[in-house]
Amino acid sequence: GVWGEMVGRDLRADPAVGGVLLSLRDVSRQVAADEAVRHSERRLRSLLENSNDCLVVTDLDRNVTYASDAIERILGYTAEQTIGQPLGGAVDEPDRTHLIAAHDEVAADPNKVRRLQVRCTHASGEQRWVETVLANHLDDPEVAGVVSNFRDVTEYRRASSALREQTAEAARAKQDRRLLSEIFDLTDD
């Protein structure tokens, strides 16, 4: 379709015109461009809202300036509750100290990226593990902060721990079988 913008000017008092002057211009390209921007914004918002990862942006003073809605699924706090709060408010010590040190290290070097896992307390009181990747975007005027992309890795850590325990138990059982085999081999002589 064609989109137009019409502007009218009352010139009835002007004897040379004696009427209303209407001007019409084609704004189809501008309408299409505006719709493309709205579509892109809706898409990005949907991706952020439905992501398993959370994005948090902090300033040089380590205060949260942006938090995606996924933070509520991961830590139980809304984005609104998080904005303005200091970095690591839900992170347990000594991991908070490690997170702050990583933030400061990344903030000092535009090329630095840090990955670490920290223990957090969910709003419900439940302990969670999150893995975070911090990257410096202070020089990007659209971001102007340190970006922390994090996800809940609690179940992964539980499964890894259970696997390590099973592996250790299997090794102990193998050792026990070896010892029993040696005992029975000695008695057969």
Side-chain angles (χ1 to χ4, degrees):
V2 176
W3 288 89
E5 178 180 72
M6 185 179 297
V7 178
R9 190 166 167 201
D10 186 357
L11 298 175
R12 289 180 288 183
D14 184 338
V17 178
V20 176
L21 177 64
L22 297 175
S23 174
L24 177 65
R25 71 182 180 112
D26 184 353
V27 293
S28 300
R29 286 186 182 155
Q30 183 61 45
V31 169
D34 291 347
E35 179 54 34
V37 167
R38 282 192 298 277
H39 172 76
S40 177
E41 289 172 349
R42 285 190 306 267
R43 182 172 189 264
L44 179 60
R45 183 173 319 283
S46 180
L47 288 169
L48 286 172
E49 288 173 356
N50 295 299
S51 174
N52 289 328
D53 289 6
C54 178
L55 288 175
V56 170
V57 179
T58 52
D59 60 21
L60 279 173
D61 295 324
R62 300 187 208 110
N63 293 313
V64 176
T65 59
Y66 172 82
S68 66
D69 291 338
I71 197 164
E72 190 167 4
R73 281 191 301 282
I74 296 171
L75 295 176
Y77 301 99
T78 65
E80 291 78 20
Q81 290 173 309
T82 307
I83 294 172
Q85 296 299 311
L87 171 70
V91 178
D92 303 333
E93 285 295 353
D95 294 346
R96 182 180 302 132
T97 301
H98 299 306
L99 177 63
I100 289 170
H103 176 277
D104 292 349
E105 184 181 336
V106 167
D109 182 351
N111 299 314
K112 189 75 169 177
V113 174
R114 284 288 313 273
R115 178 185 305 265
L116 64 154
Q117 291 186 1
V118 295
R119 288 165 296 166
C120 298
T121 301
H122 188 276
S124 68
E126 178 186 356
Q127 292 282 258
R128 300 265 175 102
W129 279 93
V130 299
E131 180 177 63
T132 185
V133 177
L134 295 127
N136 183 329
H137 291 271
L138 288 161
D139 291 338
D140 181 343
E142 301 301 321
V143 179
V146 174
V147 175
S148 173
N149 183 345
F150 67 90
R151 68 175 51 135
D152 186 338
V153 293
T154 305
E155 290 305 316
Y156 171 78
R157 286 185 65 101
R158 285 182 187 149
S160 294
S161 178
L163 183 59
R164 281 192 304 275
E165 288 174 24
Q166 289 174 351
T167 302
E169 181 62 33
R172 285 190 295 274
K174 184 176 179 181
Q175 180 65 23
D176 290 348
R177 282 192 307 274
R178 187 178 310 124
L179 289 172
L180 286 172
S181 174
E182 289 174 10
I183 291 170
F184 287 117
D185 284 344
L186 290 175
T187 57
D188 287 342
D189 288 339

